Amino acid sequence: MTEVEKGPRGLRRGRGARERIVSASQQLFREQGINGTGMDQLCAAAEVSKRTLYQHFAGKDELIAECLRRFDPDVLPEVFDRADLTPRERLLAVFEVHAPLCPFIAAAVEIPDPEHPARVYARDYKVAFAARLTEAAREAGAREPEQLGEQLALLLDGASARTRVLNAETLSTAAAIAAVLVANAIPTTPTPAPTPTPAPTPTPASATSAAAPTAARASAPATSAAAAAGAGAVTADPASHGRA
C-alpha cells in the first residue's frame, strides 16, 4: 500500500504522487488536449503542489513524453502476443481494438517541433507498430510483408483520425478494407510448383562409335554380293549371244 499523507495545504503527497500526476495528465490530455491543459489544472487534478510536480518532472514536455511512453510500451501485446491466433488473424484483430484517438497522433498534431521529446517518442512508436505488423505479415506468408505492414498501419491511423473528426465509428469499415488487403497479399493455399519435363536421356558417345563399325561391316557383304551378281550378268551375256 502506498503511503500518502496530507501536506500543509491539504494536498496529498507521498510515494504515489508521481503516479497520480501521470494518471491525471493522461486523462486531461485525452479529454481536452495537450495545449488545453495547464500545469495548475494538472496539479489540482493530481492533488499535488507545483513544487511536488517539478520534483518529479522537469516540465510539461517531459510529462507529455512520459505519458506517451506508458500508453503502450509493448506495442499491443494483447494482439501480437496471442498464441491462440494465427499470424493472419492477428493482422485483422488489430482492427477490433476500439480505442479513442491515438495519443501519438494527437501529440504530433498539437506539438509542431519534430524534435520535441513527445514527437520523437510518437515517431518511434509508429515505426515499432508497423514493424510488428510486418513481422506478423511475414509469419503469415505475405508476398511483400513490409508493404502490407505499412498499408495496415496507415489504414489504422487513418481510421483513428477519421473517427475523431466525424465523431463516428469507422473501424468496422477499416477492418473490411484490411481483410481485402490481407487476402490479396497472403495466398490462402500454396501454389503447386510446375512439374518439370524430364530431359531426354543422352546416348553415350562410346555406344555411337561402336555402332558405326558394326553397321559398316554389316553393309559390306551386301555390297560385295551385289557387285558379284553384276559381274556375272555381264559375263553371261556374250556367251549367250554366241550360242544364239
Side-chain angles (χ1 to χ4, degrees), residues 16-28:
R18 183 181 181 89
E19 298 304 317
R20 294 199 308 276
I21 294 169
V22 173
S23 178
S25 299
Q26 289 173 328
Q27 180 177 352
L28 291 173

Side-chain angles (χ1 to χ4, degrees), residues 9 11-13 17 20-21 37-60 63:
R9 292 185 297 169
L11 298 176
R12 299 172 67 193
R13 66 185 184 185
R20 294 199 308 276
I21 294 169
T37 302
M39 298 301 277
D40 290 336
Q41 188 179 16
L42 276 173
C43 291
E47 298 184 352
V48 297
S49 65
K50 272 191 175 181
R51 181 172 180 272
T52 299
L53 188 149
Y54 286 111
Q55 284 176 341
H56 290 281
F57 299 97
K60 188 177 180 180
L63 178 56

Side-chain angles (χ1 to χ4, degrees), residues 21-92:
I21 294 169
V22 173
S23 178
S25 299
Q26 289 173 328
Q27 180 177 352
L28 291 173
F29 292 161
R30 181 174 61 250
E31 293 176 352
Q32 57 191 41
I34 293 173
N35 294 331
T37 302
M39 298 301 277
D40 290 336
Q41 188 179 16
L42 276 173
C43 291
E47 298 184 352
V48 297
S49 65
K50 272 191 175 181
R51 181 172 180 272
T52 299
L53 188 149
Y54 286 111
Q55 284 176 341
H56 290 281
F57 299 97
K60 188 177 180 180
D61 291 346
E62 185 178 315
L63 178 56
I64 297 168
E66 176 67 9
C67 289
L68 293 181
R69 186 185 69 80
R70 293 193 182 197
F71 179 75
D72 187 18
D74 298 321
V75 188
L76 215 63
E78 62 270 29
V79 172
F80 291 117
D81 293 343
R82 285 183 61 178
D84 61 317
L85 297 180
T86 65
R88 185 190 187 103
E89 290 170 338
R90 287 179 212 141
L91 292 173
L92 299 177

